[in-house]
Amino acid sequence: MMRKLWPHARPYGKWIAAGVICSALEAVFELLIPLVMSDIVDIGIKNGDQSYILQMGGLMVAMAMVSLAFGLGAAVFSSVAGQGFGANLRRAEYDRIQEFAFSNIEKFSTASLVTRLTNDVNAMQMTLMMGMRLLVRAPVMLVSALVLSIRISYQLSSVFLVAMPLLLVAVLAILTRVGPLFRSLQEKTDALNLVVQENLAGIRVVKSFVREEHEKQKFEKRNHDLRDTSLKAFGTVVVNMPIMMLIVYGTIIAVMWFGGRMVFAGTLEAGKLMTYFTYITQIMMSLMMVSMIFMMLSRSVACARRIVEVLDEQPAITDGAAVTDVNSQGVRTPAAVRDGSIDFDHVSFKYNAESPEWILQDISLHIPSGATVGILGGTGSAKTTLVSLIPRLYEADHGTVSVGGRPVREYTMEHLRDAVSVVLQKNTLFSGTIRENLLWGDPNATEEELWSACRAACADEFLKRMPDGLDTDLGQGGVNVSGGQKQRLCIARAILKKPRVLILDDSTSAVDTATDARIRRAFAAELKDATKLIIAQRVASVCEADMILVMDGGRIAARGTHRELMETCEIYRDVYRSQQEGVSIGG
Ligand SMILES: Nc1ncnc2c1ncn2[C@@H]1O[C@H](COP(=O)(O)OP(=O)(O)O)[C@@H](O)[C@H]1O
Ligand SMILES: [Mg+2]
């Protein structure tokens, strides 16, 4: 795991080294101070030599200042290294997530990815920052204080033989308990973030169904869960403190007892005993630090593992199988999508490899380039799934999906998705102006091209009424436009790509019937060569199509023109009649 994370810290190697050196020097100077003090007592005070006392006192102050300066240096260097490491980790994770296919993201859940990118990285950078200082300071202090105190009196130092094993056992006992608790702590954080994220993303639905109370309770439950786990984890950690203190004070009392008797017996000087106490405190403090480091490490191991999981995740869909074409000049270029023909050859698909049921089952289909295809079917009949395979948002498990006569995986994602434009059922606009959003389709589009796309999508009428026109600010996720307006902007954005295949997944559901018809007419005129796949609820939206597919339970139940289906397909006739009635009743 260290091997995976180290490359992200390496650019800060110099800072880490500087921090480590400063921490070590800080500790050394702190250790030298008691030695000077011992001389003041045993030489200066004993001989009543005032100038010696002043001199040594001055030395002590100077050493304290130097130690302070190194301490400051260590703090600065470790902060720079820690923050830089954190930033690098976040960027690496984010880059990796951008490569993920939908199936990768679904595996982690969005909320967990957010936690792994923020919370977990924070823990890691804290560990590096604190670890750099403590990990150096504690051993340096421990070893040197131990050596110095043994030099003062090896007899007294035998108390460590009792104290140290006790401490070790206590720390180990606590560590084995908190490890799993910390792991579960991160999972509870994921769970909490999931609720918050879902709630905020769907706040309009929550409000319109008056589900605030229910959402609050859901949040409360996760919140309590997180609190309880935190309490348990940190509660276990703090038990560390009293146990340590008990052992520290026990040791001090033992040293006082034995040391005092040695002073009375004349085998130890009083100043030496004083210095000895300072070292004991330092030894015990560093032991506490070491145990704190271990606590911290056991938390960051949990976090590091989660970060490495993201970094190690292999994107499910890659350009690995993309082929190159040789053009007339003999230059190799990535295969381009020649035309808009679409072929499904015995395609089966399921989202979850473990689930026994296929979502799409043995679909075979040929759509000639430039055709208009309507797709009807009840919710859950896998209409969306069917079209998702064309721009390779998901990968077929069996069979091949081809566009322009070539299997989709032989194109680079960039080329394929440039040629296949999808207006998804759940569509998103991003914060920024309408113009910025439309330019996603074609960054170099001229003003005229923008307006022509808007005309084709029937978005021009409401855009003209907006005070700032194309430069109207959309607000977060496009909250400033109505559902139907949003759909039309998404269609315009898709048209701007000048795609070979245009897929509309129920994209005019929030648009009135008349506008819907006008959009379809505009398509026929402006996107003559593009293959158009239109998923719709209304038969009226697809009845003029060259071919209509009726989906049912992951299969194509019937296919043909409106006229053919009216004659042969009972489901189609029923749907058509029910919708006709709706129209006549509605007036
Ligand atoms: N991301 C997903 N993960 C797992 N199952 C899914 C996912 N999306 C859709 N499904 C399942 O696939 C089936 C078909 O869904 P979908 O293609 O969206 O149907 P439609 O668009 O016709 O309403 C449904 O049973 C649905 O539960
Ligand atoms: Mg759908």
Side-chain angles (χ1 to χ4, degrees), residues 123-155:
M124 291 305 294
Q125 76 190 30
M126 272 303 279
T127 305
L128 182 67
M129 249 155 74
M130 307 259 296
M132 256 172 70
R133 300 204 59 198
L134 298 185
L135 221 48
V136 176
R137 204 180 143 79
V140 170
M141 290 283 246
L142 185 66
V143 173
S144 5
L146 211 55
V147 170
L148 288 170
S149 52
I150 291 173
R151 259 191 49 195
I152 294 176
S153 164
Y154 66 89
Q155 271 172 310

Side-chain angles (χ1 to χ4, degrees), residues 106 351-352 359 377-386 394 425 505:
E106 280 157 13
Y351 287 97
N352 188 343
I359 302 286
T379 43
S381 59
K383 304 182 295 294
T384 302
T385 311
L386 180 79
Y394 291 95
Q425 196 167 16
D505 188 354

